[in-house]
Amino acid sequence: MNLDVREMELAETSLVIDYFYSSSIEQLDLMGIDPTRMPTRPVWAGLFKTLYELPLSERAALLVIWRLDGRPIGFSSCDRIVFGNRAHMHLHVTEPELRGRGLGTECISRSIDLYFERLRLKQLFCEPHAYNTAPNRALQKAGFRYLKTYKTVPGPMNYHQAVTRWLFER
């Protein structure tokens, strides 16, 4: 079993778009996603193209791909980046049959290293939907510290929801 965690290339960003568009309404709800707020596929692809044209220190996001034996199994992204200080991480195991097997925790750990190195971070936050137990457990196992549970609209595709704030510091 060969697990590869690395920065996602522009040509691989369709994984992100396809994941959200192929997710069931129930899965989107578990992630707190309002499907009416998702950009269209062409708009989303254009946003990624614009993002990848910028130098890393000016990007609004950094994407990481998770591959097992050469095939994509998930991804992570960071946004709300304050280069050299902090960022917010998101995580998604895209293959349902691989969820709950510990791979997410390993992928998160490797993603943390990449984010801290590439973005020169001191703090990394993650705020999954409070009722989505899998990412909350994985973050705890990966060494994140629980801060609080509160209600907010975590991102442009989300509805108002309870989230759990986790912190990883170095």
Side-chain angles (χ1 to χ4, degrees), residues 70-85:
R71 75 177 174 113
I73 62 160
F75 64 92
S76 176
S77 62
C78 262
D79 60 11
R80 294 187 264 172
I81 299 168
V82 178
F83 196 84
N85 190 358

Side-chain angles (χ1 to χ4, degrees), residues 6-170:
R6 61 169 172 75
E7 282 185 55
M8 187 180 288
E9 297 173 8
L10 177 59
E12 297 169 318
T13 58
S14 61
L15 171 70
V16 176
I17 299 167
D18 292 343
Y19 170 67
F20 284 101
Y21 270 94
S22 67
S23 291
S24 68
I25 294 297
E26 294 79 16
Q27 183 64 27
L28 291 173
D29 189 52
L30 192 56
M31 294 184 284
I33 301 290
D34 177 351
T36 67
R37 295 182 181 188
M38 291 177 12
T40 64
R41 287 176 182 265
V43 167
W44 213 339
L47 291 169
F48 282 137
K49 184 177 183 307
T50 301
L51 176 73
Y52 276 76
E53 290 171 349
L54 296 171
L56 182 60
S57 61
E58 296 175 24
R59 286 188 191 174
L62 175 63
L63 288 90
V64 172
I65 190 167
W66 302 340
R67 296 169 48 92
L68 180 65
D69 297 329
R71 75 177 174 113
I73 62 160
F75 64 92
S76 176
S77 62
C78 262
D79 60 11
R80 294 187 264 172
I81 299 168
V82 178
F83 196 84
N85 190 358
R86 68 183 178 277
H88 286 250
M89 174 182 174
H90 309 272
L91 53 121
H92 303 276
V93 175
T94 57
E95 301 299 315
E97 72 277 5
L98 296 177
R99 293 180 186 139
R101 299 172 92 187
L103 283 170
T105 302
E106 180 61 27
C107 291
I108 291 167
S109 294
R110 294 188 192 189
S111 297
I112 290 168
D113 291 339
L114 193 147
Y115 290 137
F116 271 81
E117 177 188 325
R118 297 289 288 141
L119 301 173
R120 301 184 188 137
L121 299 179
K122 296 175 183 140
Q123 297 181 316
L124 182 61
F125 294 90
C126 191
E127 295 184 333
H129 192 296
Y131 303 118
N132 191 347
T133 56
N136 284 289
R137 273 194 218 126
L139 290 163
Q140 184 177 25
K141 288 178 185 175
F144 277 76
R145 179 170 50 95
Y146 171 83
L147 295 180
K148 66 180 179 176
T149 300
Y150 70 106
K151 289 191 173 186
T152 188
V153 179
M157 296 192 315
N158 298 106
Y159 55 79
H160 195 255
Q161 63 192 271
V163 299
T164 304
R165 177 177 280 180
W166 297 91
L167 171 64
F168 192 96
E169 291 182 291
R170 283 200 178 146

